[in-house]
Amino acid sequence: MLVAAAAIHHRARIFSTMSVVVRFAPSPTGFLHIGGARTALFNWLFARHHGGRYLLRIEDTDRQRSTEPAIRAILDGLDWLGLAADDPPVFQFQRVERHRQAALELLDQDHAYRCYCQPAELEAMRAEARAAGRVRAYDGRWRDRDPATAPPGVDPVIRFKAPLSGETIVADRVQGDVRFANDQLDDMVLLRADGTPTYMLAVVVDDIDMGITHVIRGDDHLVNAARQANLFEALGRVPPVFAHIPLIHGADGSKLSKRHGALGVDAYRDQGYLPEALRNYLLRLGWAHGDEEVISTERAIEWFDLDGIGRSSSRFDFARLGSLNAHYIKEAADPRLVDLVAPRLESDGHRIDETARARLEAGMAGLKPRAKTLVELADAALIYVRARPLPIEAKAAQLLDAAPDGLLQGAAAAFASLEPWSEVELEACCRRLAEEAGLGLGKLAQPLRAAVTGRSASPGLFEVMRVLGREEVAGRIDDALRGLGRNAAVQ
RNA sequence: GUCCCCAUCGUCUAGGGGUUAGGACGUCACCCUUUCAAGGUGAAAACACGGGUUCGAAUCCCGUUGGGGACGCCA
């Protein structure tokens, strides 16, 4: 009867008739880094694809290293990425009693035992194991020892009675069947001497209680999966489906971790990347759907599956992220981009009043195809928000110096009576002026650009002048003619 | 050291016995052009090595090398 029930349970999982429940389970010991963000994304996508639930569990059982700011950073990061959980987060430490109870149960059922080893003793065992070329460090010396022989005054830990022989097979959806000889999986600690649960115990108990059906996480947990599978069984449960995704490495191939300068997602936000660009980039890092590169979130949900996940690790490539970001900036609505760029300009000390805002919106169409990040976009937008006289950059100054005498004056005079003040009229006017002077359009446009923007490169000149308006353009040309803005400290 | 995983252009990858080995980013050239971008066209660029299996291996098997991960009273 029991067997039959288990079999039905198992089949249900296999045929995925039961709804999917996944979780992202970061430990709050630092910010949400890029690898964690991808794990969260894959979990989120998997849940959405299957119409299941995506939960967040904060693994804060390490009281020393868990911090409040880290929790906030993780929550903020997920929020910004659009990967907020479906339910309020589960804080693992709040479930200690349940974990403790599970450990005691295991003890009752002879699946666990008390171990009175001291740190120094364990240290010696580890050294010896390593020297002897064994993975398994703890030798199980308290496994069958009579607790009556326990040294006085020592608080014991509770260890799992792991199988000693045979092998544990992790049927991983990404890595395939991975076999571990049980003699290399040691009796892990479930409950510390101070009575707090370890990660190994807490994950399994929580995954059971939260009804987790699929565990999608980093490759670095693959060996843990074998240990946890045994724990699930000791607790009378079928383990969830595992999918261990390869890790992301730095551009040089080394490990991309907190300790190796990996950035938090907040850093990507600060550097001007759009969340949808980061999501698209992360999705394609380790997952593929044929030749598809630019994938909307809707498509990602439709297409995402575990089969598309590759088995080799990948390297982080900023150039590629940048190109995707440029794409999404181009796609983004102008008002949104203005909202994103305005605070950046303001924090750099530029005042964004009504006029500046209007100019930004009117000029955004010409600005956005030229930017790879919001940082670049904000910089390019300076031509619309700086107050006169504009600082003239060195290259622009050269263009001004090279302009034939009277050329700019002529343009200014022609602009004064130009009707209407439109791009086509502006262009027609400039072409006429250049032709009359026997010059190519570039010979006029370049110094004019320098005068009007203070730079040698900008969006289309006629567009810029149209956005700025007749009065502002006249003023800027006048400033340039009078040599204003030269040697100004550009900021 | 032991155990586990991985290996296609510089990077991300498609391809899973017969392909001119495909795409994207980056690079280079050209076109467009008032600048810079964007856009368009094109080029260079890869199956780590050695053995098998097979009529035929990038694809399957073994080994080597290289890379990565795990070996905590961290998660």
Side-chain angles (χ1 to χ4, degrees), chain A residues 360-376:
Chain A
L360 284 177
E361 254 187 70
M364 195 49 79
L367 253 17
K368 65 183 182 182
R370 294 172 164 78
K372 274 209 295 291
T373 66
L374 296 178
V375 173
E376 288 180 14

Side-chain angles (χ1 to χ4, degrees), chain A residues 1 18 28 46 81 101 181 228 235 249 286 292 314 325-326 336 347 355 367 402 431 483:
Chain A
M1 190 60 206
M18 69 196 294
F46 186 73
L81 270 173
Q101 176 203 332
Q228 289 161 11
L235 287 164
H249 295 277
E292 301 293 338
S314 45
N325 203 48
R336 177 185 170 205
S347 70
T355 310
L367 253 17
R431 286 193 185 278

Side-chain angles (χ1 to χ4, degrees), chain A residues 28 50 62 71 145 232 243 295 328 352 373 381 384 412 427 452 480 484:
Chain A
H50 290 286
D62 183 341
I71 293 173
R145 192 150 147 194
F232 271 102
I295 304 168
Y328 285 102
I352 307 299
T373 66
Y384 292 130
E427 176 164 1
V452 169
L484 264 35

Side-chain angles (χ1 to χ4, degrees), chain A residues 252-313:
Chain A
D252 61 350
S254 66
K255 189 186 180 186
L256 188 69
S257 75
K258 300 167 218 182
R259 299 164 190 78
H260 291 71
L263 305 171
V265 296
D266 58 314
Y268 291 89
R269 182 187 48 205
D270 293 347
Q271 286 172 29
Y273 294 100
L274 259 20
E276 63 266 42
L278 196 54
R279 263 187 272 136
N280 194 151
Y281 176 72
L282 254 16
L283 173 64
R284 281 290 288 102
L285 200 58
W287 179 87
H289 183 83
D291 281 343
E292 301 293 338
E293 300 289 351
V294 176
I295 304 168
S296 70
T297 300
E298 292 67 33
R299 280 292 183 207
I301 290 171
E302 185 186 331
W303 290 339
F304 189 80
D305 60 357
L306 265 17
D307 297 330
I309 300 177
R311 283 185 296 171
S312 50
S313 56

Side-chain angles (χ1 to χ4, degrees), chain A residues 67-355:
Chain A
T67 68
E68 198 57 44
I71 293 173
R72 205 162 41 241
I74 289 167
L75 260 20
D76 287 351
L78 289 175
D79 225 49
W80 176 71
L81 270 173
L83 303 176
D86 295 337
D87 287 346
V90 170
F91 288 90
Q92 196 157 56
F93 188 67
Q94 293 180 357
R95 297 177 34 82
V96 274
E97 278 316 318
R98 169 76 180 101
H99 301 146
R100 213 168 276 161
Q101 176 203 332
L104 263 18
E105 239 169 70
L106 255 6
L107 203 55
D108 277 352
Q109 292 158 201
D110 201 32
H111 279 128
Y113 60 96
R114 292 196 170 81
C115 166
Y116 294 83
C117 282
Q118 298 294 285
E121 219 176 329
L122 291 166
E123 193 48 55
M125 264 186 260
R126 256 195 294 279
E128 195 191 323
R130 193 166 270 246
R134 279 182 281 118
V135 178
R136 186 174 183 146
Y138 180 68
D139 61 9
R141 60 182 60 172
W142 282 94
R143 192 173 165 115
D144 299 306
R145 192 150 147 194
D146 183 357
T149 66
V154 174
D155 290 327
V157 299
I158 293 181
R159 281 185 187 272
F160 180 56
K161 236 181 209 183
L164 295 173
S165 57
E167 60 181 10
T168 297
I169 299 173
V170 177
D172 195 274
R173 282 296 309 276
V174 173
Q175 309 291 341
D177 284 358
V178 184
R179 319 165 84 94
F180 295 93
N182 284 335
D183 62 16
Q184 43 176 290
L185 268 20
D186 62 4
D187 293 351
M188 69 254 193
V189 172
L190 301 177
L191 214 58
R192 299 186 183 99
D194 66 2
T196 59
T198 61
Y199 159 79
M200 286 292 175
L201 207 221
V203 207
V204 173
V205 172
D206 290 349
D207 281 345
I208 289 172
D209 291 355
M210 291 166 77
I212 301 301
T213 59
H214 299 253
V215 171
I216 304 170
R217 74 233 298 191
D219 219 348
D220 48 341
H221 284 287
L222 192 55
V223 184
N224 290 339
R227 295 200 172 92
Q228 289 161 11
N230 288 328
L231 234 194
F232 271 102
E233 255 147 54
L235 287 164
R237 302 299 180 122
V238 177
V241 173
F242 290 109
H244 288 89
I245 63 184
L247 269 20
I248 300 173
H249 295 277
D252 61 350
S254 66
K255 189 186 180 186
L256 188 69
S257 75
K258 300 167 218 182
R259 299 164 190 78
H260 291 71
L263 305 171
V265 296
D266 58 314
Y268 291 89
R269 182 187 48 205
D270 293 347
Q271 286 172 29
Y273 294 100
L274 259 20
E276 63 266 42
L278 196 54
R279 263 187 272 136
N280 194 151
Y281 176 72
L282 254 16
L283 173 64
R284 281 290 288 102
L285 200 58
W287 179 87
H289 183 83
D291 281 343
E292 301 293 338
E293 300 289 351
V294 176
I295 304 168
S296 70
T297 300
E298 292 67 33
R299 280 292 183 207
I301 290 171
E302 185 186 331
W303 290 339
F304 189 80
D305 60 357
L306 265 17
D307 297 330
I309 300 177
R311 283 185 296 171
S312 50
S313 56
S314 45
R315 300 181 181 207
F316 198 88
D317 180 7
F318 271 100
R320 197 177 169 82
L321 206 212
S323 125
L324 241 13
N325 203 48
H327 170 84
Y328 285 102
I329 285 178
K330 251 173 285 171
E331 300 253 289
D334 295 350
R336 177 185 170 205
L337 292 173
V338 173
D339 286 341
L340 254 16
V341 143
R344 289 172 184 271
L345 291 165
E346 278 171 333
S347 70
D348 280 346
H350 301 282
R351 208 172 135 252
I352 307 299
D353 55 17
E354 289 287 308
T355 310

